[in-house]
Amino acid sequence: MLDVRLTLIVHFRRTRRDPRAWHTTVAPGLGLLGLADCLVLAVANFPLLIGGSTTLATALGAVSLEAFAVGVRLALWRLPRNLGAAVAQPVP
């Protein structure tokens, strides 16, 4: 969700369709900070959240990070080699 907030800010900055700073930068930025704060609190209190030991929390955190890494590797592997040509081709 942090990525979505960040890409929203980048999109609004690049397109400049809406000149209002509150709608394009400030509100999404505050949302990004709020989500980042929630993430920090969840990671800091992860053993308490799962109701287990620190070892279990570390293992579950490692498994979730590895699942994310595998997803990124699969996405990069499935990308076309010539991405520019693939994007330029119209969809039938």
Side-chain angles (χ1 to χ4, degrees):
M1 291 190 331
L2 289 172
D3 293 343
V4 173
R5 284 289 177 184
L6 186 60
T7 56
L8 181 71
I9 294 170
V10 170
H11 169 73
F12 282 138
R13 299 283 289 185
R14 285 184 183 170
T15 60
R16 298 200 185 274
R17 290 183 185 168
D18 191 354
R20 298 173 294 184
W22 176 260
H23 293 278
T24 58
T25 307
V26 177
L30 289 174
L32 178 71
L33 290 175
L35 287 172
D37 188 39
C38 288
L39 178 65
V40 167
L41 287 173
V43 169
N45 296 310
F46 196 55
L48 180 65
L49 288 172
I50 63 168
S53 65
T54 306
T55 306
L56 180 62
T58 304
L60 286 175
V63 167
S64 59
L65 285 176
E66 184 60 32
F68 177 76
V70 167
V72 169
R73 280 186 246 137
L74 282 173
L76 292 174
W77 178 67
R78 294 187 68 187
L79 275 177
R81 297 293 175 235
N82 191 354
L83 186 59
V87 171
Q89 294 176 356
V91 177

